[in-house]
Amino acid sequence: MKLIVDKKQRYAKMRAHTGVHLMYGAMEKVLNRTDIKQAGSYVDEDYGRLDFSADKPLTLEQIEEIENLVNKWIYDAIDVEIFETSLDDAVSQWAKAFFDEKYGEKVRVIKIPGADIQLCGWTHCPNTYFVGAFKIIWQEAVASWIRRLIINTWPKVASFAKEKENYIYEIAKKLDSAPAQILPKIEKLEKELSSYKSEVENLKTSIISSQLSKLEKQDGNFDYIVKLEDFSWIDFKTLLQKVRENLKWKILVYSQAGNFAIISDGSFSAKAFAQEKWLRWWWNDNMVQWRDTKILDLLN
């Protein structure tokens, strides 16, 4: 039997694994925490993720600091020390040991001077320089009090950067703008959109007020009856607000689904009326509302 190691795959996993160790060390320094507990990890070709204890997401500034520190260690070309020693000796050197794992009398230690030291049995780069580059591409919550960071190392860092660059150029193209002017262009469009929305809302208000002013006073249970479906471009809550602003006396606002509101100008009790008609209701004497299809029977 002949064992063949895929060098390309092995080196890619070495880069990612050493990158995760560097990130762990950088997190302790940037967050000023020595109590970060690893809750899981995974390493593949120039890809890694680390699950760790945290009560809130990392800020963009913290992520940038961690990235900068890891990349500094990479460019410093630090030799990675790999050795075996006793568990007690490793812990005395402040090596991170995960005590939910079982260790023998001798343990394997991965030490990156000035950056990180922990017990590990996996393959690693002999020098941080071989990691090439480091980038945190995502963070997410995976459980209560557990966050996950996902990372790339070289050459996937370059692929990630190229992908984002393409996104930027596509956005710039759609905005008919230079890449450097994307944010100013978006801010300008947001202002224009806000202005258009305000104009539309004012127009809606004018149309609603105009239509309500044309309603004729009726005989029967209600002086004015307003049907939601006649104002299909607004919701029930908005219509109710406009009715209260424009009409008085005994008013019914309703929909075919049975949503209703009975509004009083103070000349009668909306609450007493609803009770008299055996309608389900909620609120007070000046206005009651609910959803009850029996309201449709009062219109016949």
Side-chain angles (χ1 to χ4, degrees):
M1 180 182 292
K2 185 177 181 181
L3 177 65
I4 299 175
V5 176
D6 186 328
K7 291 184 179 180
K8 181 180 178 182
Q9 182 187 91
R10 184 177 180 85
Y11 292 152
K13 291 183 177 181
M14 287 167 63
R15 290 190 294 267
H17 198 187
T18 302
V20 169
H21 276 231
L22 289 170
M23 178 175 67
Y24 205 145
M27 286 168 58
E28 289 183 325
K29 288 178 170 56
V30 170
L31 303 178
N32 194 27
R33 287 182 55 193
T34 57
D35 62 337
I36 298 173
K37 183 178 180 182
Q38 179 175 313
S41 64
Y42 175 78
V43 170
D44 208 335
E45 298 177 47
D46 289 303
Y47 170 94
R49 68 176 186 239
L50 176 69
D51 299 344
F52 61 98
S53 59
D55 59 351
K56 57 186 176 183
L58 299 183
T59 66
L60 292 178
E61 292 76 13
Q62 289 170 332
I63 288 176
E64 185 176 359
E65 283 188 61
I66 292 169
E67 289 176 337
N68 289 342
L69 186 52
V70 171
N71 282 308
K72 178 185 181 301
W73 287 336
I74 291 171
Y75 304 147
D76 285 345
I78 304 169
D79 286 330
V80 178
E81 301 175 14
I82 303 174
F83 58 91
E84 290 187 349
T85 187
S86 68
L87 178 59
D88 288 341
D89 181 54
V91 173
S92 72
Q93 296 185 54
W94 299 100
K96 288 186 279 290
F98 309 106
F99 291 103
D100 51 351
E101 296 187 15
K102 294 181 179 179
Y103 297 103
E105 290 184 7
K106 286 211 166 192
V107 292
R108 185 170 181 264
V109 180
I110 308 298
K111 182 178 181 180
I112 308 173
D116 183 68
I117 178 170
Q118 59 180 283
L119 308 188
C120 182
W122 252 65
T123 183
H124 279 272
C125 296
N127 186 290
T128 58
Y129 174 80
F130 291 98
V131 178
F134 172 89
K135 176 68 180 174
I136 296 173
I137 63 171
W138 191 249
Q139 73 162 321
E140 61 189 4
V142 293
S144 180
W145 299 87
I146 301 295
R147 304 290 302 177
R148 171 175 292 168
L149 291 179
I150 300 174
I151 65 107
N152 279 163
T153 51
W154 190 266
K156 281 192 176 177
V157 170
S159 301
F160 179 81
K162 184 61 179 176
E163 180 183 338
K164 297 307 175 188
E165 181 183 35
N166 290 339
Y167 286 154
I168 290 172
Y169 278 105
E170 282 298 315
I171 293 170
K173 184 178 178 181
K174 289 184 179 296
L175 292 174
D176 191 24
S177 168
Q181 296 300 313
I182 286 177
L183 286 180
K185 186 65 175 286
I186 290 175
E187 289 171 355
K188 180 183 176 184
L189 291 174
E190 284 178 335
K191 289 180 180 178
E192 291 178 358
L193 180 60
S194 177
S195 176
Y196 293 147
K197 283 183 176 180
S198 178
E199 290 179 13
V200 169
E201 289 305 315
N202 290 336
L203 182 59
K204 282 183 178 180
T205 298
S206 297
I207 294 173
I208 294 169
S209 298
S210 175
Q211 286 191 238
L212 291 176
S213 68
K214 296 176 181 177
L215 290 176
E216 295 182 0
K217 194 172 181 181
Q218 301 187 14
D219 296 325
N221 289 314
F222 305 101
D223 296 317
Y224 294 100
I225 298 175
V226 183
K227 184 178 179 182
L228 175 65
E229 283 73 14
D230 293 335
F231 301 83
S232 57
W233 65 92
I234 59 174
D235 57 39
F236 190 86
K237 182 179 179 181
T238 304
L239 178 60
L240 189 57
Q241 177 186 343
K242 298 304 177 185
V243 166
R244 297 185 72 181
E245 292 173 357
N246 288 272
L247 296 176
K248 293 183 178 180
W249 299 293
K250 187 187 295 186
I251 307 164
L252 169 66
V253 182
Y254 79 101
S255 75
Q256 284 299 121
N259 295 307
F260 75 91
I262 299 172
I263 304 169
S264 168
D265 63 349
S267 60
F268 77 106
S269 169
K271 173 182 171 181
F273 181 87
Q275 290 174 329
E276 178 188 338
K277 301 300 182 181
W278 296 92
L279 294 170
R280 288 179 290 176
W281 62 274
W282 174 80
W283 217 322
N284 54 38
D285 283 329
N286 292 324
M287 186 173 80
V288 297
Q289 65 180 109
W290 203 254
R291 180 171 180 171
D292 190 337
T293 54
K294 289 198 298 292
I295 194 68
L296 303 178
D297 298 334
L298 300 179
L299 303 175
N300 297 326

